[in-house]
């Protein structure tokens, strides 16, 4: 796959909690998330299952599974149909790696977790203490509704607003940084405050924000209207800062501010020139940041292993996370179906490639890497002239 081009700088008129986080970290990341060619970057299996988890919780909050005698079985069936839909829409490279949705890593475990979470939080069984299904409670339950501030600058889709309890809930299925699983992280706190502000602007007072993780972990914070207002002011300030940068004529590269905190799992790593240019010592081991390598293919061999065609590359003039400038590294046994959805378009000697999320082989004394089925992608960098 060819490295996609970064989008031209454009102003953002409306900021959401996820865009706010992106602007805080790096304005180029926000530009990419709002205007980038996101369909070009393959989803990870976790993203597909995360979308499915959200859909299951949405359906459960709207009481769809009530009609079935066995709630768990109904939720399971919703999970299967939503996963099928998300898998069907996924990037061809992901579908090339995994022949069916059931082949996604931990599919059945994730399904059972979703069932357990939906039953526990949204459909308490008879005899439990959380009887939410009174007519009054249901009339104030709102799921996956988009709210916008009165000045039209802040927007957000609240996963579950339970007005009768003055509570909002946000479902999380993504990676959690070490030590943050059992508490609301700073990032999640900012999101909950912005959602609370939006609810407030729409006449619902929120006093508590809760994160429900797909593994069943739950954590909450108390919220005051003052804190929610302050968060909204900060979001407006960041939006203005971003738009000022666009007005000053800054492009994607000038807005990019690489750091291991900002670039951690940033979707635009393959396309971000600044990321590849900066020195990245001590980045690979930072909270699972991983190995990201750019180099020129100096040698390439092909073999068949267990029925799979695999390629081994030697890369010269390398750079990357904890890669010594100019180093030579080997990328071993990459199945061609993990490189490109089109078997006619594969790397060749002399190509410059970027491997995102490689896996280091610690058993070797020289720099040998493999690829990770779920995370790795391989990109061909066009020479500068070919971009014109
Ligand atoms: S890779 Fe890093 S520098 Fe580049 S856009 Fe993403 S966060 Fe910004």
């Amino acid at each position: 796959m060819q490295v996609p081009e970064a989008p031209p700088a454009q102003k953002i008129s409306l900021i959401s909690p996820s865009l706010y986080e992106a602007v805080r970290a790096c304005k180029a990341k926000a530009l990419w998330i709002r205007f980038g060619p996101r369909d070009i970057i393959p989803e990870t299996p976790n993203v597909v299952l995360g979308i499915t988890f959200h859909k299951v919780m949405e359906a459960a909050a709207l009481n769809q599974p009530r009609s079935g005698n066995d709630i768990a079985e109904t939720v399971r069936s919703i999970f299967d149909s939503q996963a099928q839909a998300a898998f069907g829409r996924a990037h061809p490279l992901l579908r090339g790696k995994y022949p069916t949705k059931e082949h996604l890593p931990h599919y059945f475990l994730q399904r059972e977790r979703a069932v357990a979470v939906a039953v526990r939080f949204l459909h308490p069984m008879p005899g439990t203490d959380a009887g939410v299904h009174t007519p009054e409670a249901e009339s104030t339950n709102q799921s996956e509704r988009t709210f916008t501030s009165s000045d039209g600058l802040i927007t957000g889709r609240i996963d579950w607003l339970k007005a009768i309890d003055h509570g909002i809930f946000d479902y999380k299925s993504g990676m959690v940084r070490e030590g943050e699983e059992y508490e609301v992280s700073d990032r999640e706190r900012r999101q909950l405050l912005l959602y609370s502000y939006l609810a407030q602007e729409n006449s619902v007072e929120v006093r508590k924000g809760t994160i429900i993780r797909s593994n069943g972990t739950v954590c909450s914070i108390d919220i005051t209207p003052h804190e929610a207002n302050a968060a909204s002011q900060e979001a407006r300030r960041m939006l203005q800062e971003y738009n000022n940068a666009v007005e000053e004529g800054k492009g994607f590269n000038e807005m990019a501010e690489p750091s291991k905190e900002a670039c951690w799992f940033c979707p635009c790593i393959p396309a971000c020139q600044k990321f590849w240019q900066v020195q990245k010592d001590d980045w690979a081991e930072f909270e699972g940041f991983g190995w990201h390598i750019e180099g020129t293919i100096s040698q390439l061999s092909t073999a068949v292993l267990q029925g799979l065609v695999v390629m081994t590359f030697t890369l010269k003039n390398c750079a990357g996370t904890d890669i010594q400038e100019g180093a030579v590294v080997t990328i071993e046994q990459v199945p061609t179906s993990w490189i490109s959805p089109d078997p006619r378009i594969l790397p060749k000697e002399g190509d410059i490639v970027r491997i995102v999320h490689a896996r280091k082989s610690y058993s070797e004394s020289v720099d040998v890497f493999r690829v990770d089925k779920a995370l790795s992608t391989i990109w061909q960098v066009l020479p500068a002239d070919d971009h014109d």
Side-chain angles (χ1 to χ4, degrees):
M1 297 182 296
Q2 284 177 2
V3 162
E5 281 197 55
Q10 296 166 69
K11 284 191 178 181
I12 294 175
S13 55
L14 203 58
I15 194 163
S16 64
S18 55
L19 263 182
Y20 170 52
E21 285 305 316
V23 179
R24 284 176 60 91
C26 167
K27 294 184 184 71
K29 186 195 258 188
L31 171 59
W32 179 278
I33 288 175
R34 177 64 185 83
F35 299 109
R38 285 185 290 162
D39 293 352
I40 290 179
I41 310 280
E43 305 87 344
T44 63
N46 271 349
V47 167
V48 172
L49 294 176
I51 292 168
T52 304
F53 173 67
H54 263 82
K55 291 287 182 189
V56 166
M57 296 299 280
E58 180 182 356
L62 291 170
N63 292 324
Q64 283 184 19
R66 289 179 93 192
S67 54
N69 289 332
D70 184 341
I71 292 171
E73 203 44 56
T74 313
V75 173
R76 229 169 255 131
S77 138
I78 294 171
F79 188 97
D80 285 337
S81 60
Q82 292 294 344
Q84 187 61 47
F87 184 72
R89 288 192 302 270
H91 193 282
L93 195 80
L94 182 93
R95 286 186 277 119
K97 291 179 180 178
Y98 302 96
T100 70
K101 67 182 188 307
E102 287 86 0
H103 286 84
L104 296 174
H106 314 301
Y107 180 85
F108 294 103
L109 171 68
Q110 297 288 8
R111 191 175 71 174
E112 289 315 297
R113 282 180 166 170
V115 168
V117 174
V119 167
R120 178 174 162 204
F121 294 104
L122 302 174
H123 282 270
M125 304 302 257
T128 62
D129 58 355
V132 295
H133 295 306
T134 63
E136 186 193 7
E138 287 181 8
S139 71
T140 60
N141 254 344
Q142 298 189 52
S143 178
E144 303 284 347
R145 195 182 137 196
T146 300
F147 292 85
T148 303
S149 60
S150 52
D151 63 2
L153 292 177
I154 303 174
T155 190
R157 195 173 161 92
I158 299 178
D159 283 347
W160 186 21
L161 172 61
K162 205 172 163 195
I164 196 166
D165 291 340
H166 303 284
I168 49 167
F169 297 79
D170 198 45
Y171 314 134
K172 293 285 180 211
S173 56
M175 287 185 57
V176 186
R177 291 187 176 173
E178 254 176 61
E180 291 185 348
E181 184 178 359
Y182 298 101
E183 57 191 44
V184 176
S185 68
D186 290 346
R187 174 194 170 95
E188 290 166 343
R189 183 170 184 279
R190 288 190 292 268
Q191 286 184 330
L192 289 171
L193 288 175
L194 277 186
Y195 287 136
S196 304
Y197 169 76
L198 289 171
Q200 251 167 239
E201 283 271 281
N202 289 273
S203 310
V204 180
E205 188 191 336
V206 171
R207 296 181 202 142
K208 193 169 192 172
T210 299
I211 298 289
I212 300 178
R213 304 199 191 284
S214 57
N215 65 3
T217 310
V218 177
C219 31
S220 298
I221 53 165
D222 293 330
I223 289 170
T224 65
H226 174 72
E227 286 173 306
N229 267 322
S232 77
Q233 291 305 337
E234 184 59 12
R236 286 188 185 88
R237 192 182 71 74
M238 295 305 301
L239 176 65
Q240 189 60 48
E241 249 187 43
Y242 169 90
N243 285 332
N244 288 346
V246 177
E247 254 176 35
E248 287 160 18
K250 291 188 176 160
F252 182 90
N253 264 334
E254 290 147 302
M255 288 200 227
E257 296 169 281
S259 70
K260 55 189 172 192
E261 291 79 12
C263 303
W264 188 80
F265 282 83
C266 177
C268 36
I269 284 178
C272 182
Q273 201 60 33
K274 271 264 190 76
F275 172 86
W276 295 99
Q277 283 167 349
V278 294
Q279 196 70 26
K280 291 174 283 295
D281 296 337
D282 300 324
W283 286 36
E285 307 282 357
F286 171 73
E287 297 183 357
F289 195 106
W291 301 86
H292 306 270
I293 305 161
E294 180 185 78
T296 304
I297 300 178
S298 59
Q299 262 183 9
L300 187 157
S301 63
T302 306
V304 178
L305 273 185
Q306 296 171 341
L308 279 180
V309 182
V310 297
M311 289 180 127
T312 293
F313 315 101
T314 304
L315 302 183
K316 64 177 184 182
N317 300 330
C318 288
T321 47
D322 295 324
I323 301 287
Q324 206 183 355
E325 196 72 27
V328 173
V329 308
T330 302
I331 314 287
E332 265 189 352
Q333 298 173 359
V334 188
T336 52
S337 59
W338 300 8
I339 298 175
S340 162
D342 184 343
R344 294 165 304 175
I345 304 174
L346 290 169
K348 54 189 186 315
E349 280 183 22
D351 283 352
I352 300 172
V353 290
R354 290 174 181 164
I355 294 120
V356 176
H357 287 290
R359 270 199 301 125
K360 189 169 172 64
S361 170
Y362 287 97
S363 58
E364 306 283 345
S365 55
V366 288
D367 276 340
V368 174
F369 294 83
R370 295 208 167 175
V371 286
D372 181 286
K373 185 172 181 180
L375 290 180
S376 299
T377 47
I378 299 183
W379 301 87
Q380 186 192 351
V381 184
L382 287 181
D385 287 353
D386 292 1
H387 278 295
D388 299 334

